[in-house]
Amino acid sequence: MLTITQALVDQIVAHARKDHPDEACGVVAGPAGSDRPERFIPMLNAAMSPTFYEFDSGDLLKLYREMDDRDEEPVVVYHSHTATEAYPSRTDISYANEPGAHYVLVSTADTDSLGDFQFRSYRIVDGEVTEEEISIVEAY
């Protein structure tokens, strides 16, 4: 289960809406070993594409060095889908290289008539996708 604050959910959704029609992407870092997302880090989609996201390799290297210096790890890796449901694509699955992370997808397309976005979380390990529950809290 992903436990995340409403403030972080709001920041992720706002980033997805701001970058629409391109996919948005980013990380929420947290203390190593805690499974607690705390620090919102929006990233640039180097692909600048409505159907694909790619972290800039230089920005990603800088981020990992910074997280290492702060004894953090990527607790959430997020991106948006602009025209499809919030479910990992084959490309998303092939790029998922953080087995301990929660992969959050936000869809800015109304694909289910339940509202103007979907917010879903998955574990992706060795190509296996498992959707998980999300508990949204005010504070930890």
Side-chain angles (χ1 to χ4, degrees):
M1 176 187 310
L2 169 62
T3 301
I4 188 168
T5 64
Q6 183 66 58
L8 286 169
V9 170
D10 293 346
Q11 287 178 296
I12 292 168
V13 171
H15 184 204
R17 288 180 171 151
K18 181 178 82 62
D19 282 11
H20 188 90
D22 289 337
E23 290 192 4
C25 58
V27 171
V28 184
S34 72
D35 198 38
R36 191 175 65 230
E38 291 184 350
R39 188 166 64 95
F40 175 70
I41 308 158
M43 303 285 284
L44 172 70
N45 178 355
M48 296 179 138
S49 167
T51 59
F52 180 74
Y53 83 97
E54 181 177 31
F55 291 118
D56 176 84
S57 59
D59 289 349
L60 200 56
L61 179 61
K62 180 181 165 195
L63 171 63
Y64 272 82
R65 286 182 174 155
E66 184 180 291
M67 286 190 298
D68 192 46
D69 289 345
R70 296 171 64 125
D71 198 26
E72 292 176 326
E73 63 189 6
V75 177
V76 169
V77 177
Y78 74 87
H79 77 281
S80 63
H81 283 181
T82 61
T84 59
E85 71 173 315
Y87 189 84
S89 69
R90 283 191 303 263
T91 303
D92 298 339
I93 295 165
S94 70
Y95 279 20
N97 61 0
E98 287 290 344
H102 303 270
Y103 285 88
V104 166
L105 276 98
V106 175
S107 176
T108 54
D110 184 5
T111 58
D112 59 8
S113 301
L114 295 177
D116 58 353
F117 72 92
Q118 296 175 351
F119 189 96
R120 295 165 70 182
S121 184
Y122 304 88
R123 294 291 192 156
I124 305 174
V125 180
D126 296 328
E128 178 98 14
V129 177
T130 306
E131 187 164 8
E132 63 182 350
E133 288 185 41
I134 300 171
S135 173
I136 299 174
V137 297
E138 286 306 309
Y140 301 121

